């Protein structure tokens, strides 16, 4: 698809995908036209209240705004359920554009300045909250992280432009035009919002929150009480509400310290308005640079935890400096740090914290937190200031001390939110995914199922085999009434024929209705096979059968091979398993191999391993080798490490070691992987993944795994270049084993990651990525972003998110760095 000129331009400052450019630009101007005017509105608000009432009025103003906004939010929460999001946002914009006209008159009574303070606070709470609700409607976590810098830059640039006006116009005869200009901006935002909702109908975006209700399709209840209950029932949302509360209380105390010093140094309404305009203009320059150059990259590079901690730590340092030297410059630095980080990094991170919350919960929570808690915190800050006033006579050191204590609580809550955020992202994924072979082995006992099928098959071929299979069930205590009924169904003859392996006409299998005493039967069989006469009988019978080559002799050889398992380990007949293992019949070989394993005869292990060369005996050989357990790890290792050995034998050794699941087997497979077994590389990685999935206590050497991860990353980049240019070859000496596809390399990369980190999380993330849906991939990558260490995630996440063209450029840069 040909990219537009707008897309090309925006891609220089942000990672932008095709089709996103229009909605991004519209959201940029939406925030520009709503957040920008607030710079003018609050400059007039602060100057008016300080000039008319002094610094003593600020705590009461904070408290009055909180009370009024609380009632308004309760009212808005009720009407939101009755109107669409589109109409609600446009109506809010029109309301503030018109109601602001009341305050244009330059000589309104003093009490109107208090109303204006409340109106200004209501403006920012309602309009900014609605903007972020819309952003969360449209974008998933990964998209929001990529694009949030552009959105927030719109508000910051708007604030910068309006800050220039707030600084310049009070110094001219056009001071009275300052507020009308702000209201014109708000009115223009109506048309931008309308364009956004029209565009949503034509592109593939998430449906509005009110449409994301399962079941009946009815819209969620969003009354104030319902919103409060939603936050209270969720630990995560409660932490977010607490963070917002503490953050804004701290910001309120910082605002008071700043205004108290400004009020001492600057005089007059116009002078104060001009100063605040200049301050806000400079503030927006810093915030814009932080947002454009640092916010998105900082979040991607250092993750959510570091992003949450930076803001409070900076404020703590600035407060300490101001407490030592309460001068205007340090007050400006403190307030500038507070607001620049609040408008850039903190605003972005706070909105990202809502991403893993379910749509309906998020909608209700943002109404309560961003509207009510926001103003409640301001009111709480006012109450704290009044208490400090009463007890300490406005001592700035006490206010600074209280603020630092609150910042400590803020840091603790941020750490808790970081952990809860990752947990909530996990919940968005299907964490129940497991390997198919592991799930099958837990749900179905393959050995037992095979025994049942063999028993049923032997019933029509040989009563002796049938009897021997039944004895196996009895010996293991597995002959349940249901299984007995199945095996004896339609049985009319359960006696053994004369001349069989057992004594003539000896019946060892009673009808199914008889009660069997397994102990007595086992003792009787052991006594029979230990008789010298029986051994002589069996020896002669063996010699006769081995001389015959007809089809009937195959069944007799199967009977002998099966019966040898009942012999004492030192019986001479046990030594005759070797010729049976060389028979042409796979069934004879299988019974002979099983008898060797049950008797624990190690001398037959190499011969059984060699059986993996043939596809006719490969599966049975592996099943038998597992019966030996850890005793044969050394022998399997010898076959695996012998590069001249048959490939299928080496592959079978890998598979068998993975089923033994011991630490020694892990170490051998890791050694085989590190010694350059390229043909078996994918099989060994899969075997290690299987062992990790089956036993989480097994240890995998981190350094060795990282070395293999590096090789797989090289393989991935090689596959990318081969896709782009089939003539490309891996650089000489790179040690690259070229996979068939990029997907093969990526699968191996994730299996290796599962050896070092939570196997369940890594596997679930990979399966979600395999689904390929927008939401599944986004939440999977977000989990990796918050789980993997920085140096690993910076190498892994681009393999998932980058476009094909970007992957080619990355691959070329990767091999260029290696060559240098």
């Amino acid at each position: 698809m040909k990219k537009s000129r707008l897309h090309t331009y925006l891609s220089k400052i942000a990672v932008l995908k095709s089709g996103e450019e229009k909605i991004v630009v519209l959201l940029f101007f939406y925030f520009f036209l709503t957040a920008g005017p607030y710079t003018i509105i609050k400059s007039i608000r602060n100057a008016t209240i300080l000039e008319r009432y002094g610094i003593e009025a600020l705590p009461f103003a904070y408290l009055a705004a909180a009370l009024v906004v609380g009632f308004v939010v309760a009212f808005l929460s009720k009407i939101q359920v009755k109107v669409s999001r589109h109409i609600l946002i446009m109506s809010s914009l029109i309301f503030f554009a018109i109601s602001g006209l009341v305050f244009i008159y330059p000589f309104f009574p003093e009490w109107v300045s208090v109303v204006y303070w409340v109106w200004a606070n209501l403006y920012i709470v309602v309009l900014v909250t609605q903007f972020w609700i819309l952003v969360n409607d449209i974008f998933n976590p990964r998209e929001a992280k990529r694009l949030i810098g552009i959105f927030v830059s719109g508000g910051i640039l708007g604030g910068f432009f309006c800050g220039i006006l707030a600084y310049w116009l009070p110094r001219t005869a056009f001071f009275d035009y300052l507020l009308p200009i702000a209201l014109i901006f708000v009115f223009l935002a109506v048309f931008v919002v309308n364009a956004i909702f029209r565009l949503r109908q034509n592109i593939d975006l998430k449906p509005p929150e009110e449409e994301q209700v399962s079941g009946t399709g009815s819209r969620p209840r969003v009354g104030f009480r319902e919103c409060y209950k939603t936050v209270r029932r969720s630990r995560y949302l409660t932490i977010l509400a607490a963070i917002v509360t503490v953050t804004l209380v701290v910001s309120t105390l910082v605002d008071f310290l700043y205004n108290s010093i400004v009020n001492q140094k600057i005089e007059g309404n116009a002078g104060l308005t001009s100063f605040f305009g200049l301050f806000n203009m400079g503030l927006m320059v810093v915030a814009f640079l932080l947002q454009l150059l640092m916010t998105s990259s900082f979040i991607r590079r250092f993750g959510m935890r570091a992003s949450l901690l930076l803001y409070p730590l900076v404020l703590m340092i600035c407060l300490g400096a101001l407490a030592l030297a309460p001068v205007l410059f340090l007050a400006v630095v403190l307030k500038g740090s507070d607001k620049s980080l609040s408008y850039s990094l903190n605003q972005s991170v706070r909105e990202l914290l809502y991403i893993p919350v379910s749509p309906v919960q998020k909608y209700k929570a943002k109404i309560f937190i961003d509207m009510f808690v926001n103003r409640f915190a301001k009111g709480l800050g006012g109450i704290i200031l009044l208490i400090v006033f009463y007890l300490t006579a406005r001592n700035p050191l006490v206010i600074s001390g209280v603020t630092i204590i609150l910042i400590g609580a803020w840091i603790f809550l941020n750490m808790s939110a970081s952990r809860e955020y990752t947990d909530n992202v996990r919940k968005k994924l299907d964490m129940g995914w497991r390997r198919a072979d592991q799930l099958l082995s837990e749900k179905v006992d393959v050995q037992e199922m095979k025994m049942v099928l063999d028993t049923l098959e032997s019933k029509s071929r040989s009563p002796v085999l049938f009897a021997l299979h039944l004895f196996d069930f009895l010996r293991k205590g597995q002959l349940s009434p249901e299984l007995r009924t199945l095996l004896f169904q339609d049985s009319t003859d359960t006696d053994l024929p004369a001349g069989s392996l057992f004594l003539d006409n000896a019946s060892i299998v009673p009808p199914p209705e008889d009660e069997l005493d397994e102990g007595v039967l086992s003792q009787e069989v052991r006594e029979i096979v230990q008789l010298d006469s029986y051994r002589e009988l069996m020896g002669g019978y063996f010699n006769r059968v081995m001389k015959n080559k007809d089809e009937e002799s195959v069944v007799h050889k199967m009977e002998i091979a099966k019966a040898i398992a009942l012999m004492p380990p030192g019986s001479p007949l046990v030594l005759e398993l070797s010729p049976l293992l060389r028979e042409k019949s796979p069934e004879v070989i299988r019974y002979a191999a099983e008898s060797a394993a049950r008797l624990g005869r190690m001398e037959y292990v190499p011969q059984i391993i060699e059986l993996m060369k043939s596809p006719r005996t490969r599966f049975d050989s592996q099943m038998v080798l597992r019966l030996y357990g850890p005793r044969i790890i050394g022998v399997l290792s010898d076959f695996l490490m012998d590069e001249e050995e048959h490939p299928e034998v080496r592959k079978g050794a890998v598979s068998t070691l993975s089923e033994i699941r011991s630490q020694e087997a892990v170490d051998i497979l890791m050694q085989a992987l590190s010694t350059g077994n390229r043909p078996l590389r994918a099989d060994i990685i899969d075997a290690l993944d299987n062992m990790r999935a089956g036993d989480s206590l097994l240890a995998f050497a981190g350094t060795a795994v990282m070395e293999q991860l590096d090789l797989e990353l090289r393989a991935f980049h090689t596959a990318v270049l081969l896709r782009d240019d089939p003539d490309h070859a891996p650089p000489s000496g790179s040690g690259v084993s070229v996979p068939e596809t990029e997907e093969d390399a990526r699968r191996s990369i994730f299996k290796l990651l599962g050896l070092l980190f939570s196997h369940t999380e890594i596997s679930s993330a990979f399966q979600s990525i395999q689904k390929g849906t927008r939401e599944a991939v986004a939440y999977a990558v977000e989990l990796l972003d918050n789980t993997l260490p920085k140096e690993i995630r910076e190498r892994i996440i681009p393999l998932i998110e980058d476009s094909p063209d970007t992957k080619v450029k990355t691959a070329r840069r990767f091999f260029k760095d290696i060559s240098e």
Side-chain angles (χ1 to χ4, degrees), residues 92-104:
S92 299
L93 291 168
I94 294 171
F95 166 79
F96 283 106
I98 295 175
S99 61
L101 297 173
V102 175
F103 307 106
I104 287 178

mmCIF file with all atom_site columns, all heavy atoms in Angstrom, residues 92-104:
data_model
loop_
_atom_site.group_PDB
_atom_site.id
_atom_site.type_symbol
_atom_site.label_atom_id
_atom_site.label_alt_id
_atom_site.label_comp_id
_atom_site.label_asym_id
_atom_site.label_entity_id
_atom_site.label_seq_id
_atom_site.pdbx_PDB_ins_code
_atom_site.Cartn_x
_atom_site.Cartn_y
_atom_site.Cartn_z
_atom_site.occupancy
_atom_site.B_iso_or_equiv
_atom_site.pdbx_formal_charge
_atom_site.auth_seq_id
_atom_site.auth_comp_id
_atom_site.auth_asym_id
_atom_site.auth_atom_id
_atom_site.pdbx_PDB_model_num
ATOM 1   N N   . SER A 1 92  ? -20.798 18.932 25.763 1.00 0.00 ? 92  SER A N   1
ATOM 2   C CA  . SER A 1 92  ? -19.921 19.506 26.795 1.00 0.00 ? 92  SER A CA  1
ATOM 3   C C   . SER A 1 92  ? -19.107 20.664 26.241 1.00 0.00 ? 92  SER A C   1
ATOM 4   O O   . SER A 1 92  ? -18.954 21.714 26.890 1.00 0.00 ? 92  SER A O   1
ATOM 5   C CB  . SER A 1 92  ? -18.989 18.422 27.348 1.00 0.00 ? 92  SER A CB  1
ATOM 6   O OG  . SER A 1 92  ? -19.719 17.371 27.936 1.00 0.00 ? 92  SER A OG  1
ATOM 7   N N   . LEU A 1 93  ? -18.583 20.491 25.035 1.00 0.00 ? 93  LEU A N   1
ATOM 8   C CA  . LEU A 1 93  ? -17.795 21.554 24.412 1.00 0.00 ? 93  LEU A CA  1
ATOM 9   C C   . LEU A 1 93  ? -18.644 22.804 24.176 1.00 0.00 ? 93  LEU A C   1
ATOM 10  O O   . LEU A 1 93  ? -18.214 23.933 24.459 1.00 0.00 ? 93  LEU A O   1
ATOM 11  C CB  . LEU A 1 93  ? -17.195 21.063 23.097 1.00 0.00 ? 93  LEU A CB  1
ATOM 12  C CG  . LEU A 1 93  ? -16.092 20.000 23.199 1.00 0.00 ? 93  LEU A CG  1
ATOM 13  C CD1 . LEU A 1 93  ? -15.802 19.387 21.837 1.00 0.00 ? 93  LEU A CD1 1
ATOM 14  C CD2 . LEU A 1 93  ? -14.816 20.616 23.780 1.00 0.00 ? 93  LEU A CD2 1
ATOM 15  N N   . ILE A 1 94  ? -19.847 22.593 23.675 1.00 0.00 ? 94  ILE A N   1
ATOM 16  C CA  . ILE A 1 94  ? -20.741 23.730 23.413 1.00 0.00 ? 94  ILE A CA  1
ATOM 17  C C   . ILE A 1 94  ? -21.126 24.429 24.719 1.00 0.00 ? 94  ILE A C   1
ATOM 18  O O   . ILE A 1 94  ? -21.177 25.660 24.791 1.00 0.00 ? 94  ILE A O   1
ATOM 19  C CB  . ILE A 1 94  ? -21.986 23.256 22.644 1.00 0.00 ? 94  ILE A CB  1
ATOM 20  C CG1 . ILE A 1 94  ? -21.581 22.778 21.235 1.00 0.00 ? 94  ILE A CG1 1
ATOM 21  C CG2 . ILE A 1 94  ? -23.028 24.364 22.560 1.00 0.00 ? 94  ILE A CG2 1
ATOM 22  C CD1 . ILE A 1 94  ? -22.695 22.087 20.476 1.00 0.00 ? 94  ILE A CD1 1
ATOM 23  N N   . PHE A 1 95  ? -21.375 23.646 25.765 1.00 0.00 ? 95  PHE A N   1
ATOM 24  C CA  . PHE A 1 95  ? -21.741 24.228 27.059 1.00 0.00 ? 95  PHE A CA  1
ATOM 25  C C   . PHE A 1 95  ? -20.646 25.165 27.570 1.00 0.00 ? 95  PHE A C   1
ATOM 26  O O   . PHE A 1 95  ? -20.914 26.305 27.989 1.00 0.00 ? 95  PHE A O   1
ATOM 27  C CB  . PHE A 1 95  ? -22.005 23.125 28.084 1.00 0.00 ? 95  PHE A CB  1
ATOM 28  C CG  . PHE A 1 95  ? -22.070 23.621 29.501 1.00 0.00 ? 95  PHE A CG  1
ATOM 29  C CD1 . PHE A 1 95  ? -23.215 24.249 29.978 1.00 0.00 ? 95  PHE A CD1 1
ATOM 30  C CD2 . PHE A 1 95  ? -20.976 23.486 30.364 1.00 0.00 ? 95  PHE A CD2 1
ATOM 31  C CE1 . PHE A 1 95  ? -23.278 24.735 31.279 1.00 0.00 ? 95  PHE A CE1 1
ATOM 32  C CE2 . PHE A 1 95  ? -21.028 23.965 31.661 1.00 0.00 ? 95  PHE A CE2 1
ATOM 33  C CZ  . PHE A 1 95  ? -22.185 24.585 32.120 1.00 0.00 ? 95  PHE A CZ  1
ATOM 34  N N   . PHE A 1 96  ? -19.387 24.711 27.554 1.00 0.00 ? 96  PHE A N   1
ATOM 35  C CA  . PHE A 1 96  ? -18.304 25.537 28.089 1.00 0.00 ? 96  PHE A CA  1
ATOM 36  C C   . PHE A 1 96  ? -18.011 26.733 27.186 1.00 0.00 ? 96  PHE A C   1
ATOM 37  O O   . PHE A 1 96  ? -17.649 27.815 27.675 1.00 0.00 ? 96  PHE A O   1
ATOM 38  C CB  . PHE A 1 96  ? -17.045 24.691 28.292 1.00 0.00 ? 96  PHE A CB  1
ATOM 39  C CG  . PHE A 1 96  ? -17.107 23.815 29.510 1.00 0.00 ? 96  PHE A CG  1
ATOM 40  C CD1 . PHE A 1 96  ? -17.307 22.453 29.392 1.00 0.00 ? 96  PHE A CD1 1
ATOM 41  C CD2 . PHE A 1 96  ? -16.995 24.362 30.778 1.00 0.00 ? 96  PHE A CD2 1
ATOM 42  C CE1 . PHE A 1 96  ? -17.376 21.646 30.512 1.00 0.00 ? 96  PHE A CE1 1
ATOM 43  C CE2 . PHE A 1 96  ? -17.074 23.562 31.917 1.00 0.00 ? 96  PHE A CE2 1
ATOM 44  C CZ  . PHE A 1 96  ? -17.273 22.194 31.789 1.00 0.00 ? 96  PHE A CZ  1
ATOM 45  N N   . ALA A 1 97  ? -18.196 26.568 25.876 1.00 0.00 ? 97  ALA A N   1
ATOM 46  C CA  . ALA A 1 97  ? -17.975 27.690 24.961 1.00 0.00 ? 97  ALA A CA  1
ATOM 47  C C   . ALA A 1 97  ? -18.989 28.801 25.208 1.00 0.00 ? 97  ALA A C   1
ATOM 48  O O   . ALA A 1 97  ? -18.670 29.998 25.121 1.00 0.00 ? 97  ALA A O   1
ATOM 49  C CB  . ALA A 1 97  ? -18.048 27.214 23.511 1.00 0.00 ? 97  ALA A CB  1
ATOM 50  N N   . ILE A 1 98  ? -20.228 28.425 25.533 1.00 0.00 ? 98  ILE A N   1
ATOM 51  C CA  . ILE A 1 98  ? -21.280 29.426 25.754 1.00 0.00 ? 98  ILE A CA  1
ATOM 52  C C   . ILE A 1 98  ? -21.252 29.968 27.181 1.00 0.00 ? 98  ILE A C   1
ATOM 53  O O   . ILE A 1 98  ? -21.341 31.191 27.407 1.00 0.00 ? 98  ILE A O   1
ATOM 54  C CB  . ILE A 1 98  ? -22.663 28.815 25.429 1.00 0.00 ? 98  ILE A CB  1
ATOM 55  C CG1 . ILE A 1 98  ? -22.745 28.479 23.924 1.00 0.00 ? 98  ILE A CG1 1
ATOM 56  C CG2 . ILE A 1 98  ? -23.786 29.759 25.838 1.00 0.00 ? 98  ILE A CG2 1
ATOM 57  C CD1 . ILE A 1 98  ? -24.015 27.764 23.521 1.00 0.00 ? 98  ILE A CD1 1
ATOM 58  N N   . SER A 1 99  ? -21.123 29.058 28.160 1.00 0.00 ? 99  SER A N   1
ATOM 59  C CA  . SER A 1 99  ? -21.170 29.511 29.560 1.00 0.00 ? 99  SER A CA  1
ATOM 60  C C   . SER A 1 99  ? -19.996 30.420 29.898 1.00 0.00 ? 99  SER A C   1
ATOM 61  O O   . SER A 1 99  ? -20.089 31.282 30.776 1.00 0.00 ? 99  SER A O   1
ATOM 62  C CB  . SER A 1 99  ? -21.178 28.306 30.511 1.00 0.00 ? 99  SER A CB  1
ATOM 63  O OG  . SER A 1 99  ? -19.994 27.536 30.346 1.00 0.00 ? 99  SER A OG  1
ATOM 64  N N   . GLY A 1 100 ? -18.878 30.260 29.199 1.00 0.00 ? 100 GLY A N   1
ATOM 65  C CA  . GLY A 1 100 ? -17.721 31.105 29.465 1.00 0.00 ? 100 GLY A CA  1
ATOM 66  C C   . GLY A 1 100 ? -17.958 32.565 29.119 1.00 0.00 ? 100 GLY A C   1
ATOM 67  O O   . GLY A 1 100 ? -17.243 33.459 29.621 1.00 0.00 ? 100 GLY A O   1
ATOM 68  N N   . LEU A 1 101 ? -18.969 32.816 28.283 1.00 0.00 ? 101 LEU A N   1
ATOM 69  C CA  . LEU A 1 101 ? -19.270 34.204 27.903 1.00 0.00 ? 101 LEU A CA  1
ATOM 70  C C   . LEU A 1 101 ? -19.694 35.042 29.105 1.00 0.00 ? 101 LEU A C   1
ATOM 71  O O   . LEU A 1 101 ? -19.550 36.270 29.100 1.00 0.00 ? 101 LEU A O   1
ATOM 72  C CB  . LEU A 1 101 ? -20.371 34.217 26.836 1.00 0.00 ? 101 LEU A CB  1
ATOM 73  C CG  . LEU A 1 101 ? -20.030 33.544 25.496 1.00 0.00 ? 101 LEU A CG  1
ATOM 74  C CD1 . LEU A 1 101 ? -21.263 33.492 24.602 1.00 0.00 ? 101 LEU A CD1 1
ATOM 75  C CD2 . LEU A 1 101 ? -18.892 34.294 24.802 1.00 0.00 ? 101 LEU A CD2 1
ATOM 76  N N   . VAL A 1 102 ? -20.217 34.377 30.140 1.00 0.00 ? 102 VAL A N   1
ATOM 77  C CA  . VAL A 1 102 ? -20.664 35.100 31.342 1.00 0.00 ? 102 VAL A CA  1
ATOM 78  C C   . VAL A 1 102 ? -19.513 35.862 31.996 1.00 0.00 ? 102 VAL A C   1
ATOM 79  O O   . VAL A 1 102 ? -19.718 36.922 32.595 1.00 0.00 ? 102 VAL A O   1
ATOM 80  C CB  . VAL A 1 102 ? -21.286 34.098 32.347 1.00 0.00 ? 102 VAL A CB  1
ATOM 81  C CG1 . VAL A 1 102 ? -21.637 34.797 33.666 1.00 0.00 ? 102 VAL A CG1 1
ATOM 82  C CG2 . VAL A 1 102 ? -22.506 33.427 31.742 1.00 0.00 ? 102 VAL A CG2 1
ATOM 83  N N   . PHE A 1 103 ? -18.287 35.344 31.854 1.00 0.00 ? 103 PHE A N   1
ATOM 84  C CA  . PHE A 1 103 ? -17.146 35.920 32.581 1.00 0.00 ? 103 PHE A CA  1
ATOM 85  C C   . PHE A 1 103 ? -16.336 36.909 31.734 1.00 0.00 ? 103 PHE A C   1
ATOM 86  O O   . PHE A 1 103 ? -15.264 37.341 32.156 1.00 0.00 ? 103 PHE A O   1
ATOM 87  C CB  . PHE A 1 103 ? -16.225 34.788 33.049 1.00 0.00 ? 103 PHE A CB  1
ATOM 88  C CG  . PHE A 1 103 ? -16.931 33.719 33.832 1.00 0.00 ? 103 PHE A CG  1
ATOM 89  C CD1 . PHE A 1 103 ? -17.186 32.476 33.261 1.00 0.00 ? 103 PHE A CD1 1
ATOM 90  C CD2 . PHE A 1 103 ? -17.369 33.961 35.118 1.00 0.00 ? 103 PHE A CD2 1
ATOM 91  C CE1 . PHE A 1 103 ? -17.839 31.487 33.974 1.00 0.00 ? 103 PHE A CE1 1
ATOM 92  C CE2 . PHE A 1 103 ? -18.022 32.980 35.842 1.00 0.00 ? 103 PHE A CE2 1
ATOM 93  C CZ  . PHE A 1 103 ? -18.265 31.739 35.269 1.00 0.00 ? 103 PHE A CZ  1
ATOM 94  N N   . ILE A 1 104 ? -16.868 37.273 30.555 1.00 0.00 ? 104 ILE A N   1
ATOM 95  C CA  . ILE A 1 104 ? -16.113 38.167 29.676 1.00 0.00 ? 104 ILE A CA  1
ATOM 96  C C   . ILE A 1 104 ? -16.101 39.595 30.208 1.00 0.00 ? 104 ILE A C   1
ATOM 97  O O   . ILE A 1 104 ? -15.122 40.323 30.055 1.00 0.00 ? 104 ILE A O   1
ATOM 98  C CB  . ILE A 1 104 ? -16.699 38.121 28.246 1.00 0.00 ? 104 ILE A CB  1
ATOM 99  C CG1 . ILE A 1 104 ? -16.319 36.785 27.606 1.00 0.00 ? 104 ILE A CG1 1
ATOM 100 C CG2 . ILE A 1 104 ? -16.190 39.280 27.405 1.00 0.00 ? 104 ILE A CG2 1
ATOM 101 C CD1 . ILE A 1 104 ? -16.890 36.610 26.215 1.00 0.00 ? 104 ILE A CD1 1
#
